[in-house]
Amino acid sequence: MHYQTISYDLRPDGAAILRLNRPEAKNAMNGVMYDEARELLARIDQDPAIRVLILTGNGSAFCSGGDFKYQQSQAARPEKERLAEASKLALWLGELDRLAKPVIGRINGAAYGGGVGLASVCDVVIAHAGVKFCLSEASIGLMPSMISPYVVAKIGLSNARSVFLNSRVFDAEEARRFGLVHEVVSEDQLDAAVEKQVQLFLRCAPGAVAATKKLIAHVNAHGEEENFRHTVDLVSRMWASKEAAEGIASFLEKREPSWRVRSPESALPKDSK
């Protein structure tokens, strides 16, 4: 399928790559990008052949946030239409956050505003050492509204106040200390670090990964009593599952489980310059 604002690749081993593809605008997001990315994400979520998603940017930036011309064009629209447009990013972030496949954020360049929001919903985030991050909204009279639930959950209240309220730029190492980024590498090692994570995810059972992602969200949002009931019920059902039976049998029989993909180590498709 031809896209205007994103590009998509699917490797034979089940690793999918979604690139924000507006390099001339530092991958700034607009309504078309939201629509295209959400449509693609829905297909990825339903495709059992896809095991892991890599989210990255094309060109020199990961994502510079919301496109200012797009945002400016919303001012004169009726409130109902503004609400519909504003909901697109919120919906996309929620869908990425709940995706049944693990999401690796390959932060190849600057991540500002909504770009920080996108990084916040990735399960593993790898950035190169030269990347700069910024929640720049307050400096231009805006608010980081739709991204705020995910960024605050990722970096915590104190850290959020220290970067939301003054719009200061921070580097990849500080982002790692905040918990926004999990690994910082040199630019020439970015693809190798992402590939290592891909191979780790491909070792794991896809059903267990999807269920565990839901489990993490559930236990984080509930108290001790509900979590006791929920987790006991999950284990009871897990013991009777085909995936658990295959996993335990493969371990006892000293063989690879059926879902394990042996793929030659391969570089990700290169950025377009």
Side-chain angles (χ1 to χ4, degrees), residues 60-83:
S60 63
F62 172 65
C63 176
S64 60
D67 185 285
F68 288 148
K69 291 181 180 179
Y70 162 72
Q71 296 190 64
Q72 189 179 52
S73 71
Q74 304 305 312
R77 300 181 70 175
E79 182 179 10
K80 184 176 180 180
E81 293 180 12
R82 294 200 307 271
L83 286 170

Side-chain angles (χ1 to χ4, degrees), residues 260-273:
R260 192 152 299 170
V261 177
R262 284 192 174 276
S263 59
E265 191 163 323
S266 56
L268 299 171
K270 298 299 183 184
D271 294 337
S272 299
K273 300 299 185 183

Side-chain angles (χ1 to χ4, degrees), residues 41-107:
L41 200 67
R43 291 197 289 117
I44 290 171
D45 200 36
Q46 296 300 314
D47 188 343
I50 298 173
R51 300 278 300 279
V52 58
L53 174 64
I54 301 162
L55 178 64
T56 191
N58 196 11
S60 63
F62 172 65
C63 176
S64 60
D67 185 285
F68 288 148
K69 291 181 180 179
Y70 162 72
Q71 296 190 64
Q72 189 179 52
S73 71
Q74 304 305 312
R77 300 181 70 175
E79 182 179 10
K80 184 176 180 180
E81 293 180 12
R82 294 200 307 271
L83 286 170
E85 283 298 314
S87 71
K88 290 180 177 181
L89 175 57
L91 289 167
W92 183 28
L93 290 169
E95 289 154 5
L96 272 168
D97 191 51
R98 295 187 300 272
L99 186 69
K101 324 293 170 82
V103 181
I104 301 171
R106 176 185 177 271
I107 313 302

Side-chain angles (χ1 to χ4, degrees), residues 98 100 208-220 230 234:
R98 295 187 300 272
V209 170
T212 301
K213 194 166 177 177
K214 286 184 178 180
L215 172 65
I216 293 167
H218 185 95
V219 299
N220 185 57
H230 183 69
L234 278 181

Side-chain angles (χ1 to χ4, degrees), residues 92-205:
W92 183 28
L93 290 169
E95 289 154 5
L96 272 168
D97 191 51
R98 295 187 300 272
L99 186 69
K101 324 293 170 82
V103 181
I104 301 171
R106 176 185 177 271
I107 313 302
N108 59 297
Y112 276 43
V116 178
L118 290 175
S120 295
V121 295
C122 294
D123 299 300
V124 174
V125 178
I126 304 171
H128 73 70
V131 169
K132 301 298 183 184
F133 297 84
C134 184
L135 281 305
S136 55
E137 287 85 350
S139 69
I140 48 178
L142 303 173
M143 292 183 294
S145 298
M146 286 86 74
I147 67 172
S148 60
Y150 304 101
V151 181
V152 174
K154 181 69 75 170
I155 71 175
L157 178 64
S158 178
N159 289 328
R161 287 179 172 177
S162 79
V163 291
F164 273 75
L165 303 180
N166 56 17
S167 295
R168 69 177 178 85
V169 176
F170 54 101
D171 63 19
E173 278 296 339
E174 190 169 12
R176 185 184 62 80
R177 293 195 295 272
F178 286 165
L180 176 65
V181 169
H182 299 98
E183 186 176 1
V184 179
V185 297
S186 61
E187 187 170 6
D188 63 352
Q189 289 299 307
L190 182 61
D191 284 342
V194 170
E195 186 63 31
K196 181 179 178 181
Q197 290 294 329
V198 169
Q199 296 306 318
L200 287 172
F201 282 124
L202 292 179
R203 292 179 65 252
C204 299

